[in-house]
Amino acid sequence: MAFLQHCLNGAIVAHYHVDGALLVGRQSDNDIVLEDSTVSSLHAEITVDAEGVFHFKDLGSTNGVLYQGKKVASGTLVTGEWLTVGLHEFTRIEKLAEGMERTLRIKKSWIPGVYYTSDK
């Protein structure tokens, strides 16, 4: 099962399981909400077909979508290549990194202002 990885400024923001269609935009009723003034209210759609291929299309956004740095209206999202919506980047990954399938607990250290994670 493949996932959609969401990055901002080089950091991983989230992973999404694509099952059907995901709407991407600034508006709160989208599946992926991007609080970014360069993103249209309803910006793009990402879908997966019966064979597991990810497809994307621009939904008439102001700034469009970029695939591998080039402005396109639609296309197929391949593992290792990047789709850009506003300042946000998306790529297809085949599996989550080790440990990403479970939620870690945030714990406070004895040092003021220092936190750490634990699976217990």
Side-chain angles (χ1 to χ4, degrees):
M1 165 186 358
F3 296 88
L4 183 67
Q5 181 173 283
H6 174 189
C7 295
L8 178 63
N9 297 325
I12 297 172
V13 173
H15 292 98
Y16 305 98
H17 171 68
V18 183
D19 185 19
L22 292 175
L23 294 175
V24 181
R26 203 173 63 238
Q27 200 167 280
S28 64
D29 60 346
N30 286 297
D31 300 300
I32 301 175
V33 177
L34 304 176
E35 295 181 17
D36 177 347
S37 60
T38 64
V39 174
S40 293
S41 297
L42 183 58
H43 200 107
E45 179 180 48
I46 300 170
T47 60
V48 63
D49 65 21
E51 288 80 37
V53 178
F54 284 23
H55 302 276
F56 65 87
K57 67 178 173 181
D58 181 16
L59 298 176
S61 66
T62 301
N63 292 313
V65 297
L66 303 177
Y67 188 67
Q68 291 297 102
K70 296 181 181 174
K71 194 171 186 177
V72 296
S74 62
T76 302
L77 183 57
V78 179
T79 301
E81 295 188 351
W82 293 91
L83 172 69
T84 305
V85 176
L87 301 173
H88 302 259
E89 294 181 321
F90 297 90
T91 190
R92 176 193 170 113
I93 59 171
E94 296 307 314
K95 66 178 198 166
L96 295 177
E98 186 70 32
M100 288 297 292
E101 66 279 351
R102 67 181 188 280
T103 303
L104 298 176
R105 296 187 184 277
I106 298 175
K107 295 189 174 189
K108 188 174 182 178
S109 167
W110 61 272
I111 303 168
V114 175
Y115 296 85
Y116 66 97
T117 59
S118 170
D119 58 357
K120 297 184 185 211

